[in-house]
């Protein structure tokens, strides 16, 4: 009986992985919100990516805590910094893992709510949790809604290859179990955005659970520049088309789908189905093959986007395909 009570009282260890770079303005508030998570034991692993402001000084103070580990490294970019966090700097005995940005604020129940949903799946099944986010202004005094409120409809139960086309889930809302960590360690990629990669791996080789609730205040900085900002007045139809073509040419919408497909085939081919291998091969090679473009466009197994999505969204995906911008 006593052993049963002890097991019921066991509190999960969550290793939160944060990469920082010149984040002196907000990083303390973010760290405090992580360390104040309720009903979990948090171990915060931070890698600084060569900051030149006071970020390292702030991190040094937290490094005195038993549940915080800080590594100060050279500037390798956020991609390699985050990948090294889950591959080399992770806490090996953690029950769960999560990414964190340096400038948001977590609500106290963020991690425990993620764990509750993850625990509905078998512990042996690699499972990734993704939630929505509250959009907030710079000082977090105003919340204007959730990120996915204005997105096209999304089918989380669609086939993996369809969800690969329209990947969803930012790193700051990703939490995964130990079986998922073992899956990620099977192959360590290079030069790819961490959240895109993690979503892709779990989409094909594990499972993803989505929580429409939000437990994070996603800070939008005043100096953020929208891709649709225009200071010269309304654009006519031809100007809009020209702007879209220019953005496509500059790969401003690119999701690196060919590169992600190449890495998935290289690292996990033995775990992929034959149909997924065929589709991923088409993505991996489409830039150099018109027939692969046609296959991606007309294959009934691959949807460029949800059929319920707005027409302009579907059109952009098609244009991206034929301008090598996917």
């Amino acid at each position: 009986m006593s052993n049963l009570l002890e097991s019921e009282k066991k509190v999960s260890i969550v290793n939160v992985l944060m990469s920082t770079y010149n984040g002196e303005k907000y990083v303390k508030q973010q760290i405090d919100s992580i360390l104040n998570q309720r009903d979990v034991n948090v171990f915060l692993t931070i890698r600084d990516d060569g900051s030149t402001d006071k970020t390292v000084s702030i991190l040094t103070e937290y490094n005195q805590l038993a549940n915080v580990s800080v590594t100060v490294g050279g500037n390798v970019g956020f991609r390699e910094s985050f990948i090294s966090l889950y591959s080399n700097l992770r806490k090996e005995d953690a029950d769960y893992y999560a990414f964190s940005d340096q400038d948001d604020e977590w609500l106290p129940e963020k991690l425990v709510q993620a764990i509750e949903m993850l625990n509905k799946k078998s512990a042996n099944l690699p499972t990734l949790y993704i939630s929505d986010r509250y959009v907030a202004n710079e000082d977090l005094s105003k919340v204007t809604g959730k990120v996915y409120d204005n997105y096209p409809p999304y089918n989380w139960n669609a086939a993996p290859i369809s969800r690969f086309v329209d990947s969803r889930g930012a790193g700051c809302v990703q939490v995964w179990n130990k079986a998922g960590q073992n899956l990620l360690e099977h192959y360590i990629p290079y030069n790819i955005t961490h959240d895109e990669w993690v979503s892709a791996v779990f989409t094909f080789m594990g499972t993803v659970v989505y929580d429409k609730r939000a437990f994070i205040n996603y800070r939008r900085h005043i100096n953020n520049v929208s891709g649709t900002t225009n200071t010269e007045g309304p654009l006519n139809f031809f100007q809009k088309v020209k702007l879209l073509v220019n953005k496509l040419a500059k790969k401003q919408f690119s999701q690196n789908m060919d590169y992600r497909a190449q890495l998935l085939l290289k690292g996990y081919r033995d775990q992929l189905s034959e149909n997924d291998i065929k589709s991923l091969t088409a993505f991996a090679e489409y830039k150099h093959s018109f027939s692969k473009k046609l296959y991606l466009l007309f294959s009934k197994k691959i949807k460029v986007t949800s059929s319920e999505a707005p027409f302009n969204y579907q059109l952009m995906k098609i244009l991206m395909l034929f301008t090598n911008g996917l």
Side-chain angles (χ1 to χ4, degrees), residues 82-256:
F82 269 110
I83 294 296
S84 68
L85 278 163
Y86 84 69
S87 61
N88 298 321
L89 302 178
R90 69 195 181 283
K91 182 177 175 60
E92 294 187 359
D93 61 345
D95 301 303
Y96 303 91
Y97 295 83
F99 286 130
S100 170
D101 290 340
Q102 66 180 3
D103 52 4
D104 300 322
E105 180 186 54
W106 288 9
L107 303 187
E109 65 273 26
K110 178 186 188 296
L111 291 178
V112 71
Q113 292 294 339
I115 290 171
E116 286 183 6
M117 288 193 68
L118 287 169
N119 285 345
K120 293 179 181 179
K121 300 292 185 179
S122 169
N124 296 322
L125 177 64
T127 306
L128 174 69
Y129 165 94
I130 293 173
S131 73
D132 207 336
R133 295 161 281 165
Y134 289 118
V135 180
N137 60 352
E138 187 170 12
D139 64 2
L140 304 183
S141 62
K142 182 180 180 181
V143 174
T144 58
K146 294 187 292 185
V147 169
Y148 295 139
D149 286 346
N150 298 316
Y151 272 52
Y154 194 84
N155 181 8
W156 289 95
N157 296 314
I161 196 65
S162 293
R163 285 183 286 137
F164 177 74
V165 175
D166 284 324
S167 179
R168 188 171 292 189
C172 58
V173 294
Q174 292 180 338
V175 185
W176 60 95
N177 59 6
K178 184 174 291 187
Q181 177 63 23
N182 292 335
L183 176 66
L184 290 173
E185 291 177 16
H186 178 76
Y187 176 75
I188 307 302
Y190 174 75
N191 194 30
I192 188 168
T193 304
H194 59 291
D195 47 9
E196 290 181 349
W197 175 247
V198 168
S199 292
V201 171
F202 280 92
T203 293
F204 285 100
M205 272 72 63
T207 190
V208 179
V209 293
Y210 175 67
D211 190 346
K212 65 181 180 181
R213 300 172 298 173
F215 303 103
I216 176 176
N217 288 323
Y218 179 59
R219 192 191 306 268
R220 303 302 294 160
H221 297 199
I222 290 176
N223 60 354
N224 279 352
V225 179
S226 171
T228 58
T229 299
N230 173 44
T231 60
E232 299 179 359
L235 300 177
N236 60 40
F237 174 79
F238 296 103
Q239 289 173 321
K240 290 179 180 179
V241 172
K242 181 179 179 180
L243 180 63
L244 177 59
V245 171
N246 287 338
K247 288 183 176 181
L248 289 169
K250 295 177 181 178
K251 305 296 185 293
Q252 290 184 14
F253 301 118
S254 177
Q255 299 176 13
N256 301 310

